[in-house]
Structures are given as C-alpha cells and as structure tokens.
Amino acid sequence: METYVRINDGEFDTLMKKFALKTKDLNKPMRSISTIMKREVLKNFTSQGRPEKWKKLSRNYLKYKLRKKSTNRNRILEFHGRLKQSINSRSDGTMAAVFTGEKYGVFHQTGTGRLPARPFMPDDKHPDMPPFNVDCINKFREILLGHLLG
C-alpha cells in the first residue's frame, strides 16, 4: 500500500523548486571542496605526515640527498619537489577529487619492501587522514548546506 501526501503551500513549492535547481548544479561547492582537499594534502607534506608523522629518512639517504644537491634536503618525500607539485584537484557537478599524476607516488603512499609507507593521501588503510578527517568533512557539509540553503 502506498500513501501520497500533497502539500498545497505556495511557499513550500517555491522552496522545493529552488532546492531542486540547487541540487542540479553542484559545480561551485564541489570546486570549493576539491580546493580544500588539495590544500589539506599539501599540508600533509608540510607537516611531514598527519595525523601520524612519517618515518624519518635513513642516514644513507640523507647523505645521498646532500651529494645530489637535493633542493629539499631535510624534507621527506621532497627530493626535487615533483611529487608535492603534482598534487592536483578536479571537480564537476557530481564529484570532487584530489590526485597525483606521478606514478611513483603509490610507492611512497603504500611503501615497498625497502621503502616505508609514508601516506600523503587518504586510502583504504588511512581513511580518516586529512582531507577526510572530521574537521574537513564538517567543512564539506557546511559548503554543501550553504549552497543548498543559500
């Protein structure tokens, strides 16, 4: 059995039409969310890991960085800075994303036999790290609600 309720209220109808239009075009809030996501991933580099700090560089690798005149001698995951510089964002009316185009990023993210994992983006093992921690999710909610109700 189905029950239908009809609300005969012009103000309510106007509000529902406005809401329907707002949900069809989420480009602006998704762009804002993807910008925040990118900024938060870049903060993961600046903080050298969040919420857990990355494992320190080995003494041998630090010596190697000095010999090769790395531009970022004491920065983890920043030999020349290409990985950090490759962090980008994308959005449309249905999604917001942050990503890297550097193929070697996955090895730093997940680790290898010789290389410890230094996650810089959320993944299955680190789902709550910025930009998907509670504070960021609350910002995303505010952006979407502001768009829908504004």
Side-chain angles (χ1 to χ4, degrees):
M1 181 175 118
E2 292 182 26
T3 303
Y4 294 93
V5 175
R6 184 183 228 19
I7 298 173
N8 290 322
D9 182 306
E11 198 173 313
F12 182 80
D13 287 342
T14 301
L15 183 62
M16 289 305 294
K17 287 176 185 171
K18 183 178 176 184
F19 188 76
L21 286 173
K22 294 268 186 171
T23 59
K24 286 182 182 175
D25 184 16
L26 296 176
N27 284 304
K28 187 175 178 183
M30 289 300 181
R31 186 170 39 253
S32 296
I33 289 170
S34 70
T35 299
I36 290 170
M37 290 168 63
K38 178 180 177 180
R39 184 174 57 227
E40 290 297 320
V41 169
L42 291 173
K43 282 183 188 177
N44 293 341
F45 280 86
T46 305
S47 299
Q48 302 288 273
R50 292 188 305 164
E52 296 176 27
K53 294 288 184 189
W54 294 329
K55 186 174 180 183
K56 301 241 182 256
L57 296 174
S58 71
R59 191 175 301 259
N60 286 341
Y61 190 68
L62 282 170
K63 288 178 187 176
Y64 174 77
K65 283 180 90 170
L66 285 170
R67 276 196 325 272
K68 294 295 183 177
K69 297 185 171 109
S70 167
T71 54
N72 299 296
R73 291 185 187 139
N74 295 319
R75 307 295 297 170
I76 300 170
L77 298 189
E78 294 185 53
F79 191 89
H80 293 294
R82 282 194 302 264
L83 180 59
K84 183 179 175 182
Q85 291 166 6
S86 75
I87 303 300
N88 214 329
S89 61
R90 176 176 48 231
S91 65
D92 63 24
T94 62
M95 66 87 184
V98 64
F99 60 94
T100 176
E102 288 294 340
K103 293 178 182 173
Y104 64 84
V106 68
F107 301 118
H108 292 297
Q109 177 77 20
T110 61
T112 66
R114 292 179 29 203
L115 183 69
R118 294 184 176 108
F120 54 94
M121 285 204 270
D123 60 15
D124 291 341
K125 291 183 180 178
H126 310 91
D128 298 330
M129 74 183 293
F132 295 133
N133 60 346
V134 172
D135 292 338
C136 290
I137 296 298
N138 286 336
K139 285 180 195 174
F140 302 160
R141 282 188 185 120
E142 287 175 24
I143 289 168
L144 286 169
L145 284 172
H147 174 76
L148 295 173
L149 300 176

